[in-house]
Amino acid sequence: MVPQGGNTGMVGGGVPLAGELVVSVRRLDAVGAVDRLAGQVTVGGGATLGAVRRAAADAGWAYGVDFAARDSCTVGGNVGTNAGGLRVLRYGDTRAQVLGVEAVLGTGLVVSHLGGLLKDNTGYALPALLCGSEGTLGVVTAVRLRLVPPSPHRVVALLGFASTAAAVTAAAELRRRLPVLSAAELMVQSGVALVCRTIGLPPPLAAPHPAYLLVEAAGEADPTGELAAAVDGLDGVAEVAVAEDSVRAAALWRYREAHTEAVNAVGTPHKMDVTLPAAALAEFVDRVPAEVAAVVPGARTWLFGHVADGNVHVNVTGLDPDDDRVDDAVLLLAAGYGGSISAEHGIGTAKRRWLHLNRSPAEIDAFRAVKRALDPDGILNPNVLLPAP
Ligand code: MLT
Ligand code: ZN
């Protein structure tokens, strides 16, 4: 059986391929009362990320995870993939928010540990294990989440740079100098131009630039002055646009968030989601288009990502669906730099055959032992994550 939440995953982790039964958790969509004293909430595995974010805000708190699929994806799915998104640099990934999980294991046993104790060193951390397990160990039916203080004042800026390296260096500087930094997203000119053409947006800055950073600062007080001072001290900024009101901020975010939609309009992309060590990030981004074109001339490469996490989304259009030569080249390149072949989308069915690039035989043996213990009959997502034996 294939556990499924909002079915917004990128690697086929919630998609039956061989006649499996889909077990949807979407009706488990209750969002409990926010525990205002603890700053926590218990939600059903089928609650959408957006519903959790709204409930937290209504109670004077906030939830630290956010990304474009917020109103379709479910928290159970977020746990399954250990979803990342736009604010990992500030609050961490889904695993960092999860204090407890209720799940039905492959054995049929229900494990439930939803007390929300912040300090609880009483053995193996099953919630942490279930985060990123992609439905292979259990069906996540409820989750206890930690909330974060709200940051009601938000300012967004778009910075243009002459090179990817300058943008990557600037992002690192902003992280160091600007504690209220809440997002730093990398885009390149080809992707921004595609978004403008596809969505019908004007160019975001007066001139085109090889690389862009979309940065957001958010805090208890208005962070505009702090952001301006930090940006003033950066090297290599060619042009800046600042959005001080929420309408303009949303308009700047649109250039980043519409990338997926714009790329899909070109054709069904092959999607690679990699992490690079910080020192290799700019070189990787600059090399990938030529590496792709060398394998399949005429293929187009679209790059964007969460730069502070070292996470680049490599989307390639113009490939046959089953031709994975480009996937192979890109994932080998990332692994060769010491990077990960899946930053935040997971392994699913799509990336199984490359798991060995990041995980040793001993690690994969340990994964199989965990799988056997919690799902001895192999009934949960049998074609996901672990390589075929
Ligand atoms: C994003 O950051 O926009 C998502 O991970 C989606 C994608 O890679 O298309
Ligand atoms: Zn992403």
Side-chain angles (χ1 to χ4, degrees):
M1 59 181 76
V2 174
Q4 192 183 82
N7 200 14
T8 58
M10 301 283 179
V11 289
V15 180
L17 289 183
E20 302 96 323
L21 182 76
V22 171
V23 179
S24 172
V25 297
R26 289 179 70 167
R27 289 171 63 193
L28 301 175
D29 61 356
V31 177
V34 169
D35 179 341
R36 292 168 194 250
L37 202 57
Q40 299 176 7
V41 65
T42 300
V43 307
T48 63
L49 171 59
V52 173
R53 293 182 56 76
R54 285 188 289 278
D58 289 347
W61 284 87
Y63 181 54
V65 171
D66 193 21
F67 49 91
R70 59 184 75 77
D71 288 318
S72 317
C73 69
T74 63
V75 171
N78 294 174
V79 168
T81 55
N82 186 28
L86 304 168
R87 305 233 155 65
V88 172
L89 77 91
R90 177 93 162 245
Y91 302 115
D93 55 17
T94 296
R95 186 180 283 122
Q97 324 305 320
V98 172
L99 295 169
V101 164
E102 176 191 84
V104 185
L105 303 179
T107 54
L109 292 176
V110 177
V111 288
S112 183
H113 201 78
L114 297 170
L117 298 177
L118 282 179
K119 299 181 101 172
D120 187 11
N121 282 350
T122 51
Y124 301 130
L126 293 179
L129 178 63
L130 288 164
C131 286
S133 65
E134 301 190 42
T136 60
L137 304 178
V139 180
V140 174
T141 50
V143 189
R144 182 76 173 178
L145 297 167
R146 93 179 163 98
L147 303 177
V148 298
S151 298
H153 296 278
R154 208 164 277 277
V155 58
V156 175
L158 184 69
L159 319 181
F161 293 88
S163 69
T164 317
V168 169
T169 305
E173 269 305 287
L174 287 174
R175 278 182 66 205
R176 195 172 68 81
R177 291 185 197 180
L178 193 62
V180 288
L181 185 70
S182 56
E185 296 289 312
L186 179 72
M187 300 180 282
V188 297
Q189 175 52 26
S190 54
V192 169
L194 175 72
V195 166
C196 292
R197 278 199 307 279
T198 312
I199 314 288
L201 299 178
L205 297 176
H209 300 278
Y212 298 86
L213 277 186
L214 181 93
V215 296
E216 181 190 83
E220 181 61 26
D222 181 1
T224 307
E226 279 170 90
L227 177 66
V231 168
D232 274 351
L234 294 176
D235 289 331
V237 181
E239 204 184 337
V240 184
V242 180
E244 291 180 32
D245 63 77
S246 59
V247 173
R248 180 82 183 118
L252 284 185
W253 265 113
R254 185 90 174 111
Y255 290 97
R256 165 62 181 87
E257 292 205 309
H259 266 67
T260 301
E261 178 186 342
V263 170
N264 288 345
V266 178
T268 304
H270 284 222
K271 292 179 89 73
M272 279 70 76
D273 163 43
V274 297
T275 318
L276 277 300
L281 183 58
E283 187 174 305
F284 175 85
V285 168
D286 291 344
R287 268 183 76 179
V288 166
E291 298 279 338
V292 168
V295 179
V296 177
R300 296 290 310 272
T301 304
W302 312 99
L303 295 155
F304 53 98
H306 316 289
V307 63
D309 314 331
N311 181 185
V312 187
H313 295 307
V314 183
N315 284 217
V316 182
T317 53
L319 301 175
D320 289 338
D322 296 328
D323 181 354
D324 59 13
R325 288 174 298 157
V326 161
D327 308 57
D328 209 39
V330 172
L331 298 180
L332 271 165
L333 187 66
Y337 280 116
S340 167
I341 62 150
S342 176
E344 58 174 4
H345 293 171
I347 297 296
T349 49
K351 308 293 179 222
R352 281 167 100 191
R353 83 174 189 77
W354 291 283
L355 185 64
H356 68 94
L357 293 177
N358 284 140
R359 296 296 191 169
S360 67
E363 284 177 295
I364 292 174
D365 271 3
F367 286 5
R368 289 195 199 284
V370 171
K371 170 80 172 165
R372 274 195 305 276
L374 302 189
D375 180 24
D377 298 323
I379 58 172
L380 287 174
N381 247 356
N383 301 311
V384 163
L385 207 168
L386 291 164

